[in-house]
């Protein structure tokens, strides 16, 4: 696939994957119009994620038929729930023209805004990656590309199996695999490569799902104004911190999918706990959609649940305080009972979470401070987290306009403290080494990039409201111009807002700075540069591996020099498919340290035979940044090319492929 134009059919398939399963289930629940358009991707992620988990349990391979079966079951369950649950059955269907019009209000504006956002996102992506076959060379990319390849190869995308390729001694362990299920299914259905499927699915999530999520939250908070909704959709593509920062860092594809769904979760919670202050979806329907939302949110990346709670903390704290105050007003005993119940529920929830090993492990991650705390706060609030240094002044001004307008609205005074709370998260990760800060930021691994990506969750809808106020001010300030051009009408206002957002976005130096940084991650250097996973010589040899090896051959390698990428890029079976592979069986330990003795040592030879080792891929000792330590030293692999057991069969520059020709003193 040499051009993005060739990726268009696969992109359409990706959109259908994200729309049809969820759309069918929402139709069964009588959720229609704008609400269905925005919520369908989240429900689709749940359907696809759950289908992937169930498929191996009923002995079915991972393919589109499994998703169709899962969609039918979920839609049937939705129909049954609507028929037999009184709260849902009481929701009348939108069958009259007036009801249909109300349900469809804002669909056109949202669709138009999403198309503009998609065009902006596509333009930047195609500038940094000339074709869909390119891949980011971040540290996490190796795992995510190889996990997707593993799911496609084994026809198993279950979240309890997706990490099996790096866990030879562990039967099952949960790892959020919704992203890999989506990308692998796209590869299976369309036949595109793993890197192409990854890029195309990322574009679908960043360019369509994320703007629709922002539209949903904006609709719940502020209403259905055409200018408001189109502004929210377009603004979703204007902030460098998300989705671009997570692509530049890592690349953290599952976290990007999770973040793209978070505004939906926030909006759904608001529809349930404050139904009188928000419109668009019946509380019973919202609760049903939350049930459908949760599996996908957990299997995308569980920290999305914490992101929802973080944003809603001021509102939830106020509601809890009001609940306790009401109890004490009734009687002291009643108040203490409520307080005791709150403490008990909190303790049980905390104990349940800490009982999960994956959650406990979060507290072992810390990021050293590298910014002055006030500077980190300023950079986060002005949407310029590292490696961006130029503040987005226009976007910040729009957000402040939105805060001012939102604070005056009934039931929305919590937005200002919520924005302040989110603004303080980044400096907690980058501006202090305090233990308490590490604990508070543990759900995001105390990782600056993942935390910086939280800021647009609230900034986008607030900036959309700010844009509405700006357009109103411009019309009042220059009425003659708007009357003569016809831009004073509703459609004209929306067009003005969209154009202004595009201009503000592309005139923001920070967006171009992050584009350059993402470009670095996609770049394949001509020679080892200490940054990229693989250089041009190594990549060329990876693409030639099929000429010298078969699908059954196992290639020994040092995963810290980028050679593990051969699994995703060439479909090869790698002895060490991931750098941070902590689970090694005795044979892998033996080969890691003593493969260079395989020609003469019978024990090492036996280990190599049991693991099926036939070749050795040598990319030298240019290790992945920040991991040039004892963990990256595989002495048996490093010294093996100099032993008599391996014969050179192919090379590209410094990159070499060897075939094992001697094992335990016996020629092969």
């Amino acid at each position: 696939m040499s051009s993005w134009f060739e990726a268009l059919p696969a992109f359409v398939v990706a959109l259908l994957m994200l729309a049809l399963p969820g759309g069918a289930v929402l139709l069964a629940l009588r959720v229609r119009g704008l609400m269905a358009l925005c919520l369908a991707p989240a429900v689709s992620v749940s359907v696809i994620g759950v289908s992937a988990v169930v498929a191996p349990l009923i002995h079915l391979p991972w393919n589109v038929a499994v998703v169709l079966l899962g969609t039918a079951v979920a839609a049937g369950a939705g129909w049954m729930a609507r028929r037999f649950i009184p709260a849902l059955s009481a929701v009348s269907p939108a069958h009259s023209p007036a009801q249909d019009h109300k349900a469809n209000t804002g669909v056109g504006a949202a669709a138009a805004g999403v198309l503009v956002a998609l065009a902006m996102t596509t333009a930047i992506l195609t500038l940094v990656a000339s074709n869909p076959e390119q891949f980011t060379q971040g540290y996490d990319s190796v795992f995510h590309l190889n996990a997707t390849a593993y799911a496609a190869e084994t026809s198993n995308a279950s979240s309890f199996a997706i990490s099996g390729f790096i866990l030879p001694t562990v039967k099952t362990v949960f790892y959020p695999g919704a992203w890999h299920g989506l990308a692998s299914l796209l590869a299976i259905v369309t036949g595109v490569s793993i890197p192409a499927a990854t890029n195309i699915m990322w574009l679908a999530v960043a360019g369509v799902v994320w703007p629709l999520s922002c539209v949903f939250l904006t609709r719940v908070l502020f209403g259905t104004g055409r200018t408001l909704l189109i502004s929210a959709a377009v603004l979703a593509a204007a902030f460098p911190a998300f989705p671009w920062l997570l692509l530049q860092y890592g690349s953290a594809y599952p976290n990007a999918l999770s973040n793209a769904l978070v505004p939906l979760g926030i909006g759904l919670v608001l529809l349930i706990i404050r139904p009188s202050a928000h419109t668009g979806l019946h509380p019973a329907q919202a609760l049903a959609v939350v049930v459908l939302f949760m599996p996908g949110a957990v299997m995308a990346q569980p920290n999305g649940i914490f992101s929802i709670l973080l944003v809603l903390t001021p509102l939830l704290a106020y509601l809890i305080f009001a609940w306790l105050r009401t109890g004490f007003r009734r009687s002291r005993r009643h108040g203490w009972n409520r307080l005791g119940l709150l403490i008990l529920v909190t303790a049980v929830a905390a104990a349940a979470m800490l009982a999960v090993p994956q959650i406990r492990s979060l507290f072992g991650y810390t990021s050293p401070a590298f910014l002055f705390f006030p500077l980190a706060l300023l950079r986060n609030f002005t949407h310029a987290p590292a490696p961006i240094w130029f503040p987005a002044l226009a976007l910040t001004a729009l957000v402040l306009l939105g805060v001012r307008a939102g604070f005056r609205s009934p039931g929305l005074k919590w937005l200002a403290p919520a924005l302040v709370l989110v603004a303080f998260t980044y400096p907690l990760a980058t501006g202090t080494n305090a233990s308490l800060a590490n604990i508070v930021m543990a759900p995001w691994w105390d990782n600056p990039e993942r935390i910086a990506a939280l800021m647009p969750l609230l900034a986008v809808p607030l900036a959309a409201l700010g844009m509405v106020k700006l357009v109103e001010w411009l019309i009042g300030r220059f009425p003659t111009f708007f009357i003569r051009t016809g831009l004073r009408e509703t459609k004209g206002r929306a067009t003005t807002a969209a154009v202004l957002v595009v201009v503000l976005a592309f005139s923001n130096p920070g967006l171009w700075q992050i584009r350059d940084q993402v470009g670095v991650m996609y770049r394949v250097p001509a020679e080892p540069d200490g940054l990229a996973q693989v250089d041009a010589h190594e990549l060329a040899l990876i693409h030639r591996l099929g000429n010298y090896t078969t699908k059954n051959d196992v290639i020994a390698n040092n995963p810290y020099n980028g050679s593990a990428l051969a699994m995703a890029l060439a479909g090869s079976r790698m002895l060490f498919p991931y750098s941070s592979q902590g689970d090694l069986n005795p044979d892998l330990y033996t080969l890691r340290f003593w493969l260079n003795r395989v020609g003469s040592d019978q024990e090492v030879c036996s280990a190599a035979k049991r693991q099926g080792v036939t070749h050795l891929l040598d990319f030298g000792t240019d290790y992945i940044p920040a991991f040039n330590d004892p963990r990256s030293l595989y002495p048996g692999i490093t010294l093996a090319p100099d032993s008599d057991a391996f014969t050179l069969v192919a090379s590209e520059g410094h990159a070499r492929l060897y075939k094992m020709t001697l094992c335990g003193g016996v020629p092969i």
Side-chain angles (χ1 to χ4, degrees):
M1 190 177 290
S2 59
S3 73
W4 282 99
F5 183 77
E6 295 177 60
L8 184 58
F11 181 72
V12 172
V13 173
L15 293 183
L16 292 175
M17 287 169 51
L18 290 165
L20 295 183
V25 178
L26 292 171
L27 182 62
L29 289 170
R30 289 178 176 163
V31 179
R32 304 186 182 188
L34 180 62
M35 296 288 106
L37 177 67
C38 296
L39 290 168
V43 180
S44 293
V45 171
S46 286
V47 171
I48 291 173
V50 173
S51 297
V53 170
V54 173
L57 301 179
I58 57 178
H59 307 290
L60 291 178
W62 179 234
N63 54 38
V64 70
V66 172
V67 176
L68 292 175
L69 177 61
T71 302
V73 172
W79 183 86
M80 293 288 289
R82 178 173 59 82
R83 183 175 178 85
F84 295 106
I85 296 177
L88 287 173
S89 61
V91 180
S92 60
H95 54 76
S96 70
Q99 288 173 314
D100 287 338
H101 176 74
K102 184 177 180 180
N104 292 324
T105 299
V107 170
V114 169
L115 286 176
V116 176
L118 176 60
M120 294 169 63
T121 306
T122 302
I124 296 176
L125 182 61
T126 54
L127 286 175
V128 298
S130 59
N131 65 75
E133 300 294 340
Q134 291 186 245
F135 55 93
T136 61
Q137 300 222 42
Y139 176 70
D140 288 337
S141 298
V142 180
F143 175 84
H144 296 308
L145 290 173
N146 285 354
T148 302
Y150 180 71
E153 179 185 350
T154 61
S155 297
N156 186 350
S158 170
S159 291
F160 293 93
I162 202 71
S163 58
F165 72 103
I166 62 170
L167 300 172
T169 69
V170 180
K171 290 185 178 181
T172 59
V173 63
F174 176 81
Y175 183 89
W179 167 263
H180 312 95
L182 288 167
S184 61
L185 185 62
L186 181 62
I188 291 170
V189 172
T190 64
V192 300
S193 68
I194 298 302
T198 299
N199 283 319
I200 292 167
M201 188 56 69
W202 183 89
L203 181 59
V205 170
V208 178
V209 177
W210 165 240
L212 284 175
S213 296
C214 292
V215 168
F216 179 83
L217 181 56
T218 305
R219 164 69 179 85
V220 170
L221 290 172
F222 307 126
T224 60
R226 185 181 181 90
T227 304
L228 177 70
L229 298 184
I230 200 169
S231 298
V234 180
L235 279 162
F239 287 81
F242 187 75
W244 295 108
L245 189 58
L246 290 183
L247 185 63
Q248 183 270 336
Y249 165 79
S251 299
Y253 297 111
N255 221 135
L257 175 61
S258 174
N259 256 42
L261 301 179
V262 166
L264 297 172
I266 297 171
L268 288 170
V269 174
L270 290 173
L271 288 170
I272 294 169
I273 65 176
R274 299 289 297 275
S276 61
H278 310 283
T279 59
L281 202 65
H282 192 278
Q285 289 177 310
L287 185 58
V289 176
V290 165
V291 173
L292 295 168
F293 172 86
M294 286 296 292
V298 171
M299 284 186 280
Q301 175 49 256
N303 67 20
I305 306 299
F306 291 96
S307 300
I308 295 170
L309 294 174
L310 172 70
V311 171
L312 292 174
T313 292
L315 176 59
L316 295 175
Y318 170 76
L319 293 176
I320 291 172
F321 170 76
W323 179 69
L324 291 174
R325 182 179 59 184
T326 302
F328 278 105
R329 282 179 176 176
R330 289 180 60 181
S331 70
R332 181 172 296 182
R333 179 179 179 182
H334 198 77
W336 283 111
N337 286 340
R338 286 192 175 188
L339 181 59
L341 178 62
L342 176 64
I343 294 173
L344 177 62
V345 170
T346 303
V348 170
M353 287 191 295
L354 292 176
V356 180
Q358 288 90 338
I359 292 181
R360 289 201 307 272
S361 67
L362 295 176
F363 296 94
Y365 295 90
T366 58
S367 295
F370 61 89
L371 287 174
F372 183 46
F373 192 95
L375 176 61
L377 177 61
L378 178 64
R379 290 182 67 164
N380 196 34
F381 195 79
T382 57
H383 314 287
I388 308 161
W389 58 266
F390 198 95
L393 299 178
L395 294 178
T396 304
L398 286 179
V399 172
L400 291 175
L401 278 176
V403 170
R404 183 172 180 269
F407 195 76
R408 295 178 175 180
S409 303
L412 294 178
K413 295 188 184 298
W414 62 271
L415 281 172
L419 183 67
V420 172
L421 180 64
V422 176
F424 270 92
T425 57
Y426 185 70
L428 285 177
T430 62
T432 177
N433 291 318
S435 299
L436 180 60
N438 293 333
I439 292 173
V440 172
M441 294 294 100
W444 302 273
W445 293 277
D446 194 36
N447 184 271
E449 289 77 11
R450 298 178 201 265
I451 293 169
L454 299 175
M455 196 65 184
L457 298 176
L458 269 181
V460 171
L462 287 169
L465 182 60
M467 178 57 70
V468 171
K469 299 303 177 183
L470 175 61
V471 171
E472 290 176 353
W473 180 84
L474 289 173
I475 291 175
R477 184 70 176 80
F478 307 102
T480 304
F481 170 79
F482 280 89
I483 291 173
R484 288 178 178 177
T485 57
L487 295 176
R488 190 168 183 172
E489 304 303 321
T490 302
K491 290 185 178 180
R493 295 184 182 205
T495 302
T496 301
V499 171
L500 282 174
V501 172
V502 173
V503 171
L504 292 178
F506 285 115
S507 62
N508 173 23
L511 190 62
W512 298 106
Q513 289 168 8
I514 194 64
R515 183 212 65 170
D516 292 341
Q517 293 298 319
V518 174
V520 170
M521 300 308 294
Y522 272 103
R523 184 176 62 90
V524 179
E527 301 289 344
D529 64 354
L531 293 175
Q533 297 269 350
V534 294
D535 58 43
H537 297 300
E538 295 163 348
L539 184 60
L541 183 56
I542 285 176
H543 288 316
R544 290 173 53 202
L545 287 178
N547 298 332
Y548 307 100
T549 64
T550 68
K551 296 294 183 182
N552 295 322
D553 290 328
V554 175
I555 304 175
N557 68 302
N558 183 336
Y560 281 90
N561 60 21
S563 54
L565 277 169
M567 177 178 175
L569 303 182
S572 301
R573 295 178 60 191
M574 308 307 295
L575 187 64
F576 298 104
Y578 182 50
S579 48
S580 294
Q581 185 175 346
D583 181 62
L584 299 177
N585 61 33
D587 286 344
L588 293 177
Y589 273 112
T590 297
L591 297 174
R592 172 182 176 178
F593 290 101
W594 307 110
L595 180 64
N596 58 307
R597 298 184 179 183
V598 70
S600 57
D601 191 309
Q602 189 59 50
E603 182 180 349
V604 178
C605 175
S606 297
K609 287 182 176 179
R610 284 191 293 268
Q611 296 299 312
V613 176
T614 58
H615 291 78
L616 169 68
L617 188 59
D618 179 25
F619 283 176
T621 57
D622 180 48
Y623 297 136
I624 298 169
F627 288 91
N628 189 7
D629 58 31
R631 288 191 302 163
S632 65
L633 300 180
Y634 282 57
I637 307 293
T638 303
L639 298 174
D642 298 327
S643 72
D644 296 333
F646 293 92
T647 302
L648 182 68
V649 294
S651 65
E652 286 281 351
H654 68 91
R656 290 174 169 78
L657 175 69
Y658 296 86
K659 182 176 178 61
M660 191 168 72
T661 54
L662 185 67
C663 186
V666 179
I668 300 175

